[in-house]
Amino acid sequence: SVVGSSPRTHLVAAPTGTTRVAAVIGSPVRHSLSPVIHNAAFGALDIDWTYLAFDVAAGDAADALDAMRTLRLGGLSVTMPHKADAAAAVDRLTPEASSLGAVNFVSWDRGELVGHNTDGRGFVDSLEASIGAAVAGRHCHVVGAGGAARAIVLALAEAGADQVVVVNRSRAKAEVAAALAGGKGRVGRPIDVKEADVVINATSMGMAGTSAAHVLPVEPSLLREGQVLAELVYHPLRTPLMDAAADIGATVVGGVGMLVHQAARQFELWTGEAAPLDAMHEAANEAIARA
Ligand code: NDP
């Protein structure tokens, strides 16, 4: 149901009586890129789905999941502040969502609601697609220990990373995150960046419009040619850390890929179709460039 001839607009036709509805719940949610990315995917494949954003107040995630049951929504993405509450309200959790105690989307399985967490796997998919190689056997250094960092630490270990070193402002949170990698995880020091094959900024430092927009989460002089520097921050598309790392000769991977790949895993489970990654990526890049 694509309207118009330009593949860059990805306009979905007006919903009809047969349209399946998916949505994201969060608060605030109005700046979420999920509607842009998912509607671009529905439009690119010309399938009869649409995707909305619902601002759901903190504490109301269980009610939103009941609404999903009643309204028979096709799928639900979950973002801040509902990820933990959604994990408590679904019928079943995947092993990743259970380990993290957090859900980033919900799908149907034989009448039951299943809570998934594809943030970490989405990151690994993006990283491997960008560098054209597997993360297995690599030494990874994660800066940050929030929700996104924890999902990444778990996914890196599951993908066969050799070591996962976690560095965070608050050490207690770094310990919790590192433990998710089992015997491969440990809390490190900033200087340990030197030993890493892959360095990941999983903090919000570098995010446009914040007081830390120009703060570098990693000392660039510790980086070297041949390393991979991956960002989670995607606004701006190119962060000060990515510029500094590229100057040194590191391979840089931006944060948009993670956003797209975690959405792609949702899309595929909900619709059963292979996700049109290029259309999703293009739509996300355009929306961020406009923001
Ligand atoms: P959280 O709030 O859970 O964690 C924030 C992390 O950043 C913590 O480790 C925190 O340290 C650290 N931090 C924040 N500010 C500073 C600072 N000034 N100095 C040092 N450390 C700081 O957030 P999330 O884990 O959910 O998200 C982290 C980032 O990843 C955000 O920028 C988010 O937009 C991005 N993200 C990107 C995704 C993508 O698809 N590309 C997906 C999800 C998130 P402390 O523990 O000490 O407070």
Side-chain angles (χ1 to χ4, degrees):
S1 48
V2 179
V3 182
S5 55
S6 167
R8 300 178 71 83
T9 53
H10 306 297
L11 293 176
V12 177
T16 68
T18 59
T19 304
R20 300 230 56 199
V21 178
V24 56
I25 57 165
S27 192
V29 79
R30 56 182 296 139
H31 296 298
S32 169
L33 289 170
S34 296
V36 168
I37 294 171
H38 283 284
N39 283 318
F42 298 146
L45 295 191
D46 195 13
I47 57 175
D48 190 17
W49 283 67
T50 195
Y51 189 104
L52 304 170
F54 293 126
D55 197 311
V56 171
D60 287 350
D63 287 347
L65 289 183
D66 282 343
M68 177 177 183
R69 297 176 208 273
T70 307
L71 300 174
R72 304 240 144 234
L73 298 183
L76 203 65
S77 309
V78 179
T79 188
M80 296 280 287
H82 302 305
K83 289 186 169 187
D85 290 348
V90 291
D91 300 316
R92 276 193 290 124
L93 292 169
T94 63
E96 292 80 15
S98 175
S99 300
L100 295 165
V103 156
N104 78 324
F105 81 96
V106 181
S107 70
W108 288 101
D109 182 34
R110 286 162 289 183
E112 289 190 332
L113 294 185
V114 184
H116 304 254
N117 195 311
T118 49
D119 282 333
R121 189 61 232 182
F123 172 78
V124 171
D125 289 346
S126 165
L127 179 67
E128 292 185 337
S130 297
I131 66 175
V135 84
R138 298 192 188 227
H139 179 151
C140 300
H141 182 106
V142 179
V143 185
R150 288 195 297 274
I152 286 171
V153 167
L154 179 67
L156 288 170
E158 286 184 349
D162 175 47
Q163 283 187 55
V164 186
V165 175
V166 181
V167 173
N168 190 51
R169 180 173 61 181
S170 326
R171 188 183 164 100
K173 282 170 69 181
E175 281 165 3
V176 171
L180 286 161
K184 294 170 174 178
R186 70 175 171 86
V187 177
R189 297 162 303 156
I191 199 169
D192 295 338
V193 149
K194 285 182 164 182
E195 318 300 325
D197 302 315
V198 182
V199 180
I200 299 145
N201 174 35
T203 74
S204 44
M205 286 185 272
M207 196 197 285
T210 67
S211 59
H214 299 287
V215 181
L216 295 177
V218 172
E219 169 52 46
S221 65
L222 298 175
L223 296 170
R224 57 179 159 74
E225 200 177 336
Q227 276 179 321
V228 176
L229 181 279
E231 260 293 2
L232 260 64
V233 173
Y234 51 80
H235 183 48
L237 288 167
R238 202 165 173 92
T239 62
L241 178 61
M242 288 167 72
D243 282 337
D247 285 347
I248 285 159
T251 301
V252 298
V253 180
V256 185
M258 172 176 175
L259 199 64
V260 167
H261 281 275
Q262 58 83 27
R265 287 188 172 251
Q266 306 183 19
F267 179 93
E268 292 183 349
L269 257 165
W270 294 339
T271 68
E273 307 273 352
L277 285 167
D278 289 348
M280 296 167 85
H281 220 118
E282 191 183 332
N285 279 335
E286 281 176 17
I288 294 163
R290 273 198 312 270

